[in-house]
Amino acid sequence: MTLGFGVVGTGAIGREHIQRITKVVSGAEIAAVTDVNQDAAKKAVEDFNLRASIYEDDTALLKDENVEAVLVTSWGPAHESTVLKAVEAGKFVFVEKPLATTAEGCMRIVEAEQKHGKRLVQVGFMRRYDSGYRQMKEAIDNNFIGEPLMIRCAHRNREVGESYTQDMAILDTLIHEIDTLHWLVGDDYKSIQVTYPKKTKNALEHLKDPQIVTLETKTGIIIHAEIFVNCQFGYDIQCEVIGEEGIVKLPEVATAQYRKDGVLGSGILQDWQSRFNDAFNNEFQDFIDAVRREGQPQGPSAWDGYIAAVTGDAGVKAQQSGQAEPIELPERPDFYQQKKQEEKV
Amino acid sequence: MTLGFGVVGTGAIGREHIQRITKVVSGAEIAAVTDVNQDAAKKAVEDFNLRASIYEDDTALLKDENVEAVLVTSWGPAHESTVLKAVEAGKFVFVEKPLATTAEGCMRIVEAEQKHGKRLVQVGFMRRYDSGYRQMKEAIDNNFIGEPLMIRCAHRNREVGESYTQDMAILDTLIHEIDTLHWLVGDDYKSIQVTYPKKTKNALEHLKDPQIVTLETKTGIIIHAEIFVNCQFGYDIQCEVIGEEGIVKLPEVATAQYRKDGVLGSGILQDWQSRFNDAFNNEFQDFIDAVRREGQPQGPSAWDGYIAAVTGDAGVKAQQSGQAEPIELPERPDFYQQKKQEEKV
Amino acid sequence: MTLGFGVVGTGAIGREHIQRITKVVSGAEIAAVTDVNQDAAKKAVEDFNLRASIYEDDTALLKDENVEAVLVTSWGPAHESTVLKAVEAGKFVFVEKPLATTAEGCMRIVEAEQKHGKRLVQVGFMRRYDSGYRQMKEAIDNNFIGEPLMIRCAHRNREVGESYTQDMAILDTLIHEIDTLHWLVGDDYKSIQVTYPKKTKNALEHLKDPQIVTLETKTGIIIHAEIFVNCQFGYDIQCEVIGEEGIVKLPEVATAQYRKDGVLGSGILQDWQSRFNDAFNNEFQDFIDAVRREGQPQGPSAWDGYIAAVTGDAGVKAQQSGQAEPIELPERPDFYQQKKQEEKV
Amino acid sequence: MTLGFGVVGTGAIGREHIQRITKVVSGAEIAAVTDVNQDAAKKAVEDFNLRASIYEDDTALLKDENVEAVLVTSWGPAHESTVLKAVEAGKFVFVEKPLATTAEGCMRIVEAEQKHGKRLVQVGFMRRYDSGYRQMKEAIDNNFIGEPLMIRCAHRNREVGESYTQDMAILDTLIHEIDTLHWLVGDDYKSIQVTYPKKTKNALEHLKDPQIVTLETKTGIIIHAEIFVNCQFGYDIQCEVIGEEGIVKLPEVATAQYRKDGVLGSGILQDWQSRFNDAFNNEFQDFIDAVRREGQPQGPSAWDGYIAAVTGDAGVKAQQSGQAEPIELPERPDFYQQKKQEEKV
């Protein structure tokens, strides 16, 4: 009954998910681990006191029959290979973003999964599990605001360091909006453009910050997404969908309200971990429950990973060209049709 | 057409209202002034560049036929005498609170006015002209929340000085709630009680601060009013009416919202002048318009002034006794029946 | 490693917690169950697919060495006996409120636990695990608002049925405020009084609704708690602590904000389950983690259960007498000293 | 002392301002009126009971020495001619937008005024007098949010009729943002672009609705302004300035908050009159006071009218071209240098 996970990659994010699986959510355990750094794998087993086999590599780990699901938290470029092997072996996969580092790689996984005949793969886009976004999705699916026409959103980090490069604004930051927004409105992207406002003095020299991304969907929804990774004041996620009959907006984080020194205020979170901690937990619990109850995951699919890759590539191109770059996606296969929120209940 | 005011008392509050009448609202002018300090009267005429006669006392001023309305902003103990003379002379009266310093004095005015046969007097309770309270009144009168059952309110000042004495918590501070709340729910008070929570270290020795006042109305509405005049953080007025079908609450003051240094905040006002400036203006404009158009004021009446005096006396007694003190009011005369908000429109 | 629970009482609340332990939180499993209705016990085992022994009664269950902790979710009058047996057996106890139905019963447990020498018992007051209250507690403990002077709170339910009796306003509804508020300010209660505002037409004949409870603490904090169990509009918990230097307030529940049909609105929850679901989960996870890591629970203690019982009794008396009834508590034993939030981290 | 207004144009907006000048603000009176429809002029005099001369045309009216200031509320195409005549006559001018229907016309006024040597003209952009915008301006001028980098705003009307044409989205609706935003950040526009999201079904056939306007300033601030004139839910003005150190946002309108039927809500205004009524009043009072005290108006200048015209023209062109159209403005003359909010106090 308990779902046995094999963990491929025991670095920071791998350890965080091991902690989540063993200490927070229920219904799963760590059956096996591997890492290119064998010491790291051993250390994870010790630190979390796991009853788990340690393997040399993903191939070996996948042969362990206690491994029913693979948690892929290795280095990004290694994802595709592990996921393909896992799918071939008929194992469930929870893979952190990116699904693969290229659109072609994602497509290979999409094809392998379809060939397998049943969904196996879930990509780690946790925002769909945030209660605020879920409420928005429910409102939209129930036609509460009519047809969506525009979206305004913002992704703000307090600050980033030297290692944060220009393309990461798309591939690491915007990638979450890319996944969440098409899901929210049930639409596909048509083009992406990036413009650069006046640069903040608080950004390092190599980085344009802030950036404004304009996405257009196939039905004509226009999305303006602000990326501002040195905003100084905190971690702040905003999203507002403007529809024909009304508007729905992500709630502000509920923090205690105070009155002091002439200010009516409340705290703004400072990091994404605290903002999306519940979403991460819900994401894993849902993966575990769906796999155990229905034999397949129901969260973000390999197709969603593919959309993210194609859109991300176009976004990076748009960063350089200054033009609206087309986002060319094949028709969504029936295999990956999205269900509306209401139909899920 | 322009309403000529005769001002009795050109101290701070008198000058403020002269400024309001001459510079902000329309339809009125200052025709005459008097003050026990003749120099102050002259100075007001000069400073505001008034075309106004200066009189020795209120009796002389009332004989000036350009004086159609008297603005009574003298020392509290002098109010009654001036108001009575003005009513006898058939002049309109705008009198700052208190109407008179004793309930008996108020009653003498009430009787004089009824004898005159038409309303002449308005008492300076400006909160009824605040847009937030008006919206609440409208909601209640339209039965939006059903029958009111409870009220929770707070009157908070940043700090008060040495001259603020214990009874002023009732007679200067709570007096505004006393007037506003019975108007808001269209009910009369039955009793008043004062309790003292732990005292703030920020209050001077002679003052109990905060104080909690419990008022009960004839129909059984229970009101808890917090008076906290050294709250440190600003000037803050709260009011919430809980009804059978819902709750209505005074809006927070609309100040620009900001995000900075980990805080989602907005400013809290620091003084009552900025909080109720619009209400003061509306109050005067309404007095002037009502008198000009309908021949009588429609704001807080002499009867409301009497209610405030009786309730205030009971409140001061309750501060000392610790008991619920009865508030004994005669039946409201037909002459002073309150109209519901909706009927006014 | 996994904490084995023996469940005593498999009714509605028992089943809910079984679900929580097996499906939501981690680190625990159900090792044994019992119920006065053996069929109910069997059904629970089947429905949740438990690998758990079924026992005739609590005495038998407590002999099972796989039972490390007892979950007491039986009928209230049965709590005391089971808890005492469990403490005697040195088992950990998670007992739903009430700890015992009488203050004397609670005291017997307190004494038994002290005799045992180490904390074993946690009472199911989940609000302390709500993130809003925790933020308030942190602010207060860090002296952000100075000394607390007053508290204003409200406990509102949409409606209650025939079976909800007058005393339940104290023993079932206010009981949560009773536990939370003394913890929030680190103080003990001195007296309790109940007053009755005008009754809502939406309450059944046998019930006075709303009720206002006034609690005073030993240091002089005055608390006004509104109990309104037929408020019609939803489930609504409010709490505001007014201190010497500022105010801190429970955040509104974060629900998506919308603009539609002339309304800027957001949804109000309709039931306590959705309001405190996270708190319930945190509560169990904390109990399990604390017991596993530190060998004793750190949540609401048997002493807190005793405080609740004494205060609840005084509250029911106050409902009848209309007077401020004294709350007489012995000195808090060192064994049960509360630690401030900051010291816990 | 009282400022004598000569009104040119006694249609709807003219009458509204006559009402404002005579009934709401102070320090001014209507000395003369004219209208192409002489009956309308007579009717205004009667309806408002004015002691005002009625003239055949603006030329005659300008000869009346009781006319110190001209209120131009005629048909847009007639504005330029009247304003030029008034400036030539050395009269103060309050002209409703547009200053003139062409940029060239505006420039002619700018030149005439400079030739006169002192400011005479104020254009009726009332938003600068809205307390929310003023607070934002103050925060920005005081460097509270650092350098502004981006602005997000929205101008939403409930619905518009047949007569609302495509270009009015720029010339009647956006024109307010055009004036307010450059003032807010003390910058000039460089380009304007219009894009069209999916069209709402609630717009008539001839109108694209909503529209998104992108403005860029000379220093690189990027502004996204949503125009949505059939948004259905109410009249809604949003504005948020994102700076290097923080964000400042226009407050929501303060309306009473309620809890009812599962909704925590407050009302959204339905029309611009109620939203900006105070701003209109402040605007007139400020014009009157500035003219009387300082001998020149200090509100939106002829140069601001010129900026609006040039930007509006480029905006209409951008509606058709789909391209970013350049906004070419000459250097701002010293004569029209803007002072920062702080320096004004």
Side-chain angles (χ1 to χ4, degrees):
Chain A
M1 278 310 296
T2 302
L3 185 72
F5 268 103
V7 181
V8 179
T10 56
I13 182 74
R15 290 173 63 94
E16 202 176 288
H17 287 337
I18 289 172
Q19 150 98 14
R20 184 162 278 122
I21 289 166
T22 55
K23 302 272 162 67
V24 184
V25 300
S26 75
E29 62 189 10
I30 308 298
V33 303
T34 185
D35 194 286
V36 289
N37 176 347
Q38 285 284 305
D39 288 344
K42 277 174 204 152
K43 191 163 177 350
V45 169
E46 281 161 29
D47 289 355
F48 293 100
N49 205 3
L50 307 175
R51 274 174 285 179
S53 311
I54 303 177
Y55 291 102
E56 215 168 65
D57 58 20
D58 55 357
T59 308
L61 176 140
L62 283 162
K63 285 183 185 142
D64 185 334
E65 60 182 21
N66 290 321
V67 172
E68 297 161 279
V70 186
L71 172 62
V72 184
T73 44
S74 52
W75 187 42
H79 286 189
E80 181 188 347
S81 163
T82 300
V83 175
L84 283 173
K85 286 180 207 163
V87 169
E88 203 160 321
K91 308 266 184 181
F92 297 109
V93 177
F94 186 101
V95 53
E96 261 309 315
K97 68 181 177 64
L99 174 59
T101 52
T102 63
E104 294 73 25
C106 291
M107 185 46 92
R108 280 188 286 272
I109 292 169
V110 159
E111 285 164 355
E113 190 180 39
Q114 289 188 72
K115 194 170 147 203
H116 173 78
K118 221 171 153 183
R119 276 197 59 191
L120 292 171
V121 179
Q122 176 162 335
V123 185
F125 290 122
M126 78 293 183
R127 286 214 196 156
R128 301 190 190 188
Y129 292 96
D130 173 69
S131 73
Y133 278 114
R134 292 186 85 84
Q135 290 169 43
M136 291 179 72
K137 172 79 172 154
E138 196 185 331
I140 293 166
D141 285 356
N142 289 330
N143 206 31
F144 184 75
I145 61 162
E147 280 295 303
L149 307 174
M150 297 169 280
I151 301 179
R152 314 206 299 176
C153 55
H155 188 141
R156 299 171 184 138
N157 292 70
R158 200 176 46 191
E159 57 181 346
V160 296
E162 186 73 39
S163 63
Y164 187 97
T165 53
Q166 181 75 355
D167 59 346
M168 289 170 70
I170 301 296
L171 300 179
D172 272 52
T173 300
L174 187 75
I175 204 74
H176 287 288
E177 273 75 21
I178 289 176
D179 180 66
T180 311
L181 300 180
H182 78 78
W183 163 76
L184 206 51
V185 295
D187 201 351
D188 279 319
Y189 301 123
K190 194 167 71 185
S191 70
I192 185 168
Q193 184 168 19
V194 180
T195 52
Y196 302 105
K198 190 193 296 193
K199 181 179 161 173
T200 174
K201 66 170 190 220
N202 297 308
L204 295 175
E205 197 173 338
H206 68 281
L207 184 68
K208 287 179 180 164
D209 185 42
Q211 303 182 21
I212 298 177
V213 178
T214 306
L215 282 154
E216 190 170 350
T217 71
K218 287 189 177 159
T219 70
I221 299 169
I222 291 184
I223 299 164
H224 281 118
E226 170 197 330
I227 306 171
F228 190 7
V229 295
N230 290 284
C231 80
Q232 308 295 302
F233 66 77
Y235 181 74
D236 188 33
I237 301 298
Q238 299 287 331
C239 185
E240 188 171 24
V241 179
I242 296 114
E244 285 179 319
E245 310 290 339
I247 295 178
V248 65
K249 186 175 168 298
L250 205 58
E252 295 290 341
V253 173
T255 49
Q257 190 193 56
Y258 61 84
R259 290 166 201 270
K260 193 177 170 180
D261 294 339
V263 174
L264 174 60
S266 57
I268 295 176
L269 299 178
Q270 294 301 305
D271 57 86
W272 54 268
Q273 288 92 338
S274 45
R275 174 65 182 83
F276 287 113
N277 186 47
D278 284 352
F280 279 115
N281 293 345
N282 294 342
E283 172 190 52
F284 267 87
Q285 194 67 66
D286 178 68
F287 176 80
I288 294 164
D289 291 349
V291 160
R292 287 170 75 196
R293 287 184 206 147
E294 309 179 28
Q296 55 180 353
Q298 59 182 12
S301 69
W303 185 259
D304 293 316
Y306 172 70
I307 290 176
V310 171
T311 308
D313 287 350
V316 172
K317 201 169 160 198
Q319 281 185 315
Q320 292 153 0
S321 73
Q323 302 301 313
E325 297 292 341
I327 296 170
E328 276 157 28
L329 288 166
E331 196 73 6
R332 180 188 289 262
D334 280 349
F335 190 86
Y336 292 110
Q337 283 313 318
Q338 208 185 51
K339 279 170 285 182
K340 297 222 165 186
Q341 187 95 335
E342 54 196 335
E343 303 172 278
K344 279 187 188 155
V345 182
Chain B
M1 281 306 298
T2 303
L3 185 70
F5 268 102
V7 182
V8 180
T10 55
I13 182 74
R15 290 174 63 95
E16 203 176 288
H17 287 337
I18 290 173
Q19 149 98 14
R20 183 161 280 120
I21 289 167
T22 54
K23 302 273 162 66
V24 185
V25 300
S26 74
E29 62 189 10
I30 307 299
V33 302
T34 185
D35 195 284
V36 288
N37 176 346
Q38 285 285 304
D39 288 344
K42 278 174 204 152
K43 192 164 177 347
V45 169
E46 280 161 30
D47 290 354
F48 295 100
N49 205 4
L50 306 174
R51 276 175 282 179
S53 311
I54 303 178
Y55 291 101
E56 213 167 67
D57 58 19
D58 55 357
T59 308
L61 177 139
L62 282 162
K63 286 182 183 143
D64 185 334
E65 60 182 22
N66 290 321
V67 172
E68 297 162 278
V70 187
L71 172 62
V72 184
T73 44
S74 51
W75 186 43
H79 287 189
E80 181 188 346
S81 162
T82 301
V83 174
L84 282 173
K85 288 179 206 164
V87 169
E88 202 159 322
K91 309 265 182 181
F92 297 109
V93 177
F94 186 102
V95 53
E96 261 309 315
K97 67 180 179 64
L99 174 59
T101 51
T102 62
E104 294 71 27
C106 292
M107 185 47 91
R108 281 188 284 271
I109 293 169
V110 159
E111 284 165 354
E113 190 179 40
Q114 290 188 73
K115 193 171 148 202
H116 173 78
K118 221 173 154 181
R119 277 197 58 191
L120 291 171
V121 179
Q122 177 162 336
V123 185
F125 289 123
M126 77 292 183
R127 286 215 195 155
R128 301 191 189 188
Y129 292 96
D130 174 68
S131 73
Y133 278 114
R134 291 186 86 84
Q135 290 168 42
M136 291 179 73
K137 173 79 172 153
E138 196 186 332
I140 292 166
D141 284 355
N142 289 329
N143 206 30
F144 184 75
I145 62 163
E147 280 295 302
L149 307 174
M150 297 170 280
I151 300 180
R152 313 206 299 178
C153 56
H155 187 142
R156 299 170 185 140
N157 291 69
R158 199 176 46 190
E159 56 181 347
V160 295
E162 186 73 39
S163 63
Y164 188 97
T165 53
Q166 182 76 353
D167 59 347
M168 289 170 72
I170 301 297
L171 300 179
D172 272 52
T173 300
L174 187 75
I175 204 74
H176 288 288
E177 272 75 21
I178 288 175
D179 179 67
T180 310
L181 300 180
H182 78 78
W183 163 77
L184 206 52
V185 295
D187 201 352
D188 278 319
Y189 302 123
K190 194 168 68 186
S191 69
I192 185 168
Q193 184 167 18
V194 180
T195 52
Y196 301 105
K198 190 192 295 192
K199 180 178 162 175
T200 175
K201 67 171 189 221
N202 297 308
L204 296 175
E205 197 173 338
H206 68 281
L207 185 67
K208 287 179 180 164
D209 186 41
Q211 303 182 21
I212 298 177
V213 178
T214 305
L215 282 154
E216 189 169 350
T217 71
K218 287 190 177 160
T219 70
I221 300 170
I222 290 184
I223 298 164
H224 281 118
E226 170 196 330
I227 305 171
F228 190 7
V229 295
N230 290 284
C231 80
Q232 309 294 302
F233 66 78
Y235 181 73
D236 188 33
I237 301 299
Q238 299 287 331
C239 185
E240 188 172 24
V241 180
I242 295 113
E244 284 179 321
E245 310 290 339
I247 295 177
V248 66
K249 186 176 168 297
L250 205 58
E252 295 290 341
V253 174
T255 50
Q257 190 194 57
Y258 62 83
R259 289 166 202 271
K260 192 176 172 181
D261 294 340
V263 174
L264 174 60
S266 56
I268 295 176
L269 298 179
Q270 293 302 303
D271 56 87
W272 54 269
Q273 288 93 336
S274 44
R275 173 64 182 84
F276 287 113
N277 186 48
D278 285 352
F280 279 115
N281 294 345
N282 295 341
E283 172 190 52
F284 268 87
Q285 193 66 67
D286 179 68
F287 177 80
I288 294 163
D289 291 350
V291 161
R292 288 170 73 197
R293 287 185 206 146
E294 309 178 29
Q296 55 180 354
Q298 58 183 14
S301 68
W303 185 258
D304 293 316
Y306 173 70
I307 290 176
V310 172
T311 309
D313 287 350
V316 172
K317 200 170 160 197
Q319 282 186 315
Q320 292 153 0
S321 74
Q323 302 301 313
E325 297 292 341
I327 296 170
E328 275 156 28
L329 288 165
E331 196 74 5
R332 180 188 289 262
D334 280 349
F335 190 85
Y336 293 111
Q337 283 313 318
Q338 208 184 51
K339 280 169 285 180
K340 296 221 165 185
Q341 188 95 334
E342 52 196 337
E343 303 172 276
K344 279 186 188 156
V345 183
Chain C
M1 281 304 297
T2 302
L3 185 72
F5 268 103
V7 181
V8 180
T10 55
I13 182 73
R15 291 174 63 95
E16 202 176 288
H17 287 337
I18 290 173
Q19 149 97 14
R20 185 162 276 121
I21 289 166
T22 55
K23 303 273 162 67
V24 184
V25 300
S26 74
E29 63 189 10
I30 307 299
V33 302
T34 185
D35 196 285
V36 288
N37 176 347
Q38 285 284 305
D39 288 344
K42 277 174 202 152
K43 191 163 175 354
V45 169
E46 280 161 28
D47 289 354
F48 295 100
N49 205 5
L50 307 175
R51 275 175 283 179
S53 311
I54 304 176
Y55 291 102
E56 214 167 67
D57 59 19
D58 56 357
T59 308
L61 178 139
L62 282 163
K63 286 183 184 143
D64 184 334
E65 61 181 22
N66 290 321
V67 171
E68 296 161 281
V70 187
L71 172 61
V72 184
T73 44
S74 52
W75 186 42
H79 287 188
E80 181 187 348
S81 162
T82 301
V83 174
L84 281 173
K85 286 180 208 165
V87 168
E88 202 160 323
K91 309 266 183 180
F92 297 109
V93 177
F94 186 102
V95 52
E96 260 309 316
K97 68 181 175 65
L99 173 59
T101 51
T102 64
E104 295 71 28
C106 292
M107 184 47 89
R108 281 188 285 271
I109 292 168
V110 159
E111 285 164 355
E113 190 179 40
Q114 289 189 74
K115 193 170 147 203
H116 173 78
K118 221 173 153 182
R119 277 197 58 192
L120 291 170
V121 178
Q122 176 161 334
V123 185
F125 289 123
M126 78 293 182
R127 285 214 195 156
R128 301 191 189 188
Y129 292 96
D130 173 69
S131 72
Y133 278 114
R134 292 185 85 84
Q135 290 169 44
M136 291 179 73
K137 173 78 173 154
E138 195 185 333
I140 293 166
D141 285 356
N142 289 328
N143 205 31
F144 183 75
I145 61 163
E147 279 295 302
L149 307 174
M150 297 169 280
I151 301 180
R152 314 205 299 177
C153 56
H155 188 141
R156 299 170 184 139
N157 292 70
R158 200 176 45 191
E159 57 181 345
V160 297
E162 186 73 39
S163 62
Y164 188 97
T165 53
Q166 182 76 353
D167 59 347
M168 290 170 70
I170 301 296
L171 301 179
D172 272 52
T173 299
L174 187 75
I175 204 73
H176 288 287
E177 274 74 21
I178 290 176
D179 179 66
T180 311
L181 300 180
H182 77 79
W183 162 77
L184 206 52
V185 295
D187 199 352
D188 278 318
Y189 301 123
K190 194 168 69 185
S191 70
I192 185 168
Q193 185 167 17
V194 180
T195 52
Y196 302 104
K198 191 192 295 193
K199 180 178 162 175
T200 174
K201 67 171 188 220
N202 297 308
L204 295 175
E205 197 172 340
H206 68 282
L207 184 68
K208 287 179 180 164
D209 185 40
Q211 303 182 21
I212 299 178
V213 178
T214 305
L215 283 154
E216 189 169 351
T217 71
K218 288 189 176 159
T219 71
I221 300 170
I222 291 184
I223 299 165
H224 281 119
E226 171 196 329
I227 305 171
F228 190 6
V229 294
N230 290 284
C231 80
Q232 308 295 303
F233 67 78
Y235 181 74
D236 188 34
I237 301 298
Q238 299 287 330
C239 185
E240 188 172 23
V241 180
I242 295 113
E244 285 178 319
E245 309 290 339
I247 295 178
V248 66
K249 187 175 166 298
L250 204 59
E252 294 291 341
V253 173
T255 50
Q257 190 193 57
Y258 61 84
R259 289 165 202 270
K260 192 176 171 180
D261 295 339
V263 174
L264 174 60
S266 56
I268 295 176
L269 299 179
Q270 294 302 303
D271 57 86
W272 54 269
Q273 289 92 338
S274 44
R275 174 64 181 84
F276 288 112
N277 187 47
D278 284 353
F280 279 116
N281 293 344
N282 294 341
E283 172 190 53
F284 268 86
Q285 193 68 66
D286 178 68
F287 177 80
I288 294 164
D289 292 351
V291 161
R292 288 170 72 196
R293 288 184 205 148
E294 309 177 28
Q296 56 180 353
Q298 59 182 12
S301 68
W303 185 259
D304 293 316
Y306 172 70
I307 291 176
V310 171
T311 310
D313 286 351
V316 172
K317 200 169 160 197
Q319 281 186 316
Q320 291 152 2
S321 74
Q323 303 301 313
E325 297 292 340
I327 296 170
E328 276 156 28
L329 289 165
E331 196 74 6
R332 180 188 289 262
D334 281 348
F335 190 86
Y336 292 111
Q337 283 312 319
Q338 209 185 52
K339 280 169 287 181
K340 297 221 165 184
Q341 188 96 332
E342 53 196 337
E343 303 172 278
K344 278 188 188 155
V345 183
Chain D
M1 280 306 298
T2 302
L3 186 71
F5 268 104
V7 181
V8 180
T10 56
I13 181 74
R15 291 174 63 94
E16 203 176 287
H17 288 337
I18 290 172
Q19 149 96 15
R20 184 162 279 121
I21 289 166
T22 55
K23 303 274 162 67
V24 185
V25 299
S26 75
E29 62 188 12
I30 307 299
V33 303
T34 185
D35 195 285
V36 289
N37 176 346
Q38 285 284 305
D39 288 344
K42 277 173 204 154
K43 191 163 178 350
V45 170
E46 281 161 28
D47 289 354
F48 295 100
N49 205 5
L50 306 175
R51 275 175 284 179
S53 310
I54 304 177
Y55 290 101
E56 215 166 66
D57 58 20
D58 54 358
T59 308
L61 176 139
L62 282 162
K63 286 182 184 143
D64 185 334
E65 59 182 22
N66 290 321
V67 171
E68 296 161 280
V70 186
L71 172 62
V72 185
T73 44
S74 52
W75 186 41
H79 287 188
E80 181 187 347
S81 163
T82 301
V83 175
L84 282 173
K85 286 179 208 164
V87 169
E88 203 159 323
K91 308 266 183 179
F92 297 109
V93 177
F94 186 102
V95 53
E96 260 310 315
K97 68 181 176 65
L99 173 60
T101 51
T102 63
E104 294 71 28
C106 291
M107 185 48 90
R108 280 188 286 272
I109 293 168
V110 159
E111 285 164 355
E113 191 180 38
Q114 289 189 74
K115 194 170 147 205
H116 173 78
K118 221 173 151 182
R119 276 197 58 190
L120 291 171
V121 179
Q122 176 162 334
V123 186
F125 290 122
M126 78 293 183
R127 286 214 196 157
R128 301 190 189 189
Y129 292 96
D130 173 70
S131 73
Y133 279 115
R134 292 185 86 85
Q135 290 169 42
M136 291 179 73
K137 173 79 172 153
E138 196 185 333
I140 293 166
D141 285 356
N142 289 329
N143 206 30
F144 184 75
I145 61 163
E147 280 295 302
L149 307 174
M150 296 169 281
I151 300 179
R152 315 206 297 178
C153 55
H155 188 141
R156 298 169 185 139
N157 292 70
R158 199 175 47 190
E159 58 181 345
V160 296
E162 186 73 40
S163 62
Y164 188 97
T165 53
Q166 182 76 354
D167 59 347
M168 289 171 70
I170 301 297
L171 300 178
D172 272 53
T173 300
L174 187 74
I175 203 74
H176 288 288
E177 272 75 20
I178 288 176
D179 179 66
T180 311
L181 301 180
H182 78 79
W183 163 77
L184 206 52
V185 294
D187 200 352
D188 278 319
Y189 301 122
K190 194 167 71 187
S191 70
I192 186 168
Q193 184 168 18
V194 180
T195 52
Y196 302 105
K198 191 194 294 193
K199 181 178 162 174
T200 174
K201 67 170 189 221
N202 297 309
L204 295 175
E205 197 174 340
H206 68 282
L207 184 67
K208 287 180 181 164
D209 186 40
Q211 303 182 22
I212 298 177
V213 178
T214 305
L215 282 154
E216 190 170 351
T217 71
K218 287 189 177 159
T219 70
I221 299 170
I222 290 184
I223 298 163
H224 280 118
E226 170 197 329
I227 305 170
F228 190 8
V229 294
N230 290 284
C231 81
Q232 309 295 302
F233 66 78
Y235 181 74
D236 188 32
I237 301 299
Q238 299 288 330
C239 185
E240 188 173 24
V241 180
I242 296 113
E244 284 178 320
E245 310 289 340
I247 294 178
V248 65
K249 185 175 168 298
L250 205 59
E252 295 291 341
V253 174
T255 49
Q257 190 193 58
Y258 62 83
R259 290 166 201 270
K260 192 176 171 181
D261 295 339
V263 173
L264 174 60
S266 56
I268 295 176
L269 299 178
Q270 294 301 305
D271 56 87
W272 54 269
Q273 288 92 337
S274 45
R275 173 65 181 83
F276 287 112
N277 186 48
D278 284 352
F280 278 116
N281 294 345
N282 294 341
E283 172 189 52
F284 268 87
Q285 194 66 67
D286 178 67
F287 176 81
I288 294 163
D289 291 350
V291 161
R292 287 170 73 196
R293 288 184 205 149
E294 308 178 28
Q296 55 180 354
Q298 59 181 13
S301 68
W303 184 258
D304 293 316
Y306 172 69
I307 291 176
V310 172
T311 309
D313 287 350
V316 172
K317 200 170 161 197
Q319 281 185 317
Q320 292 153 2
S321 74
Q323 303 300 313
E325 297 293 340
I327 295 170
E328 276 156 30
L329 289 166
E331 196 73 5
R332 180 188 290 262
D334 281 347
F335 190 86
Y336 292 111
Q337 283 313 318
Q338 208 184 51
K339 280 169 286 179
K340 296 221 164 186
Q341 187 95 336
E342 53 195 337
E343 302 172 279
K344 279 186 188 155
V345 183

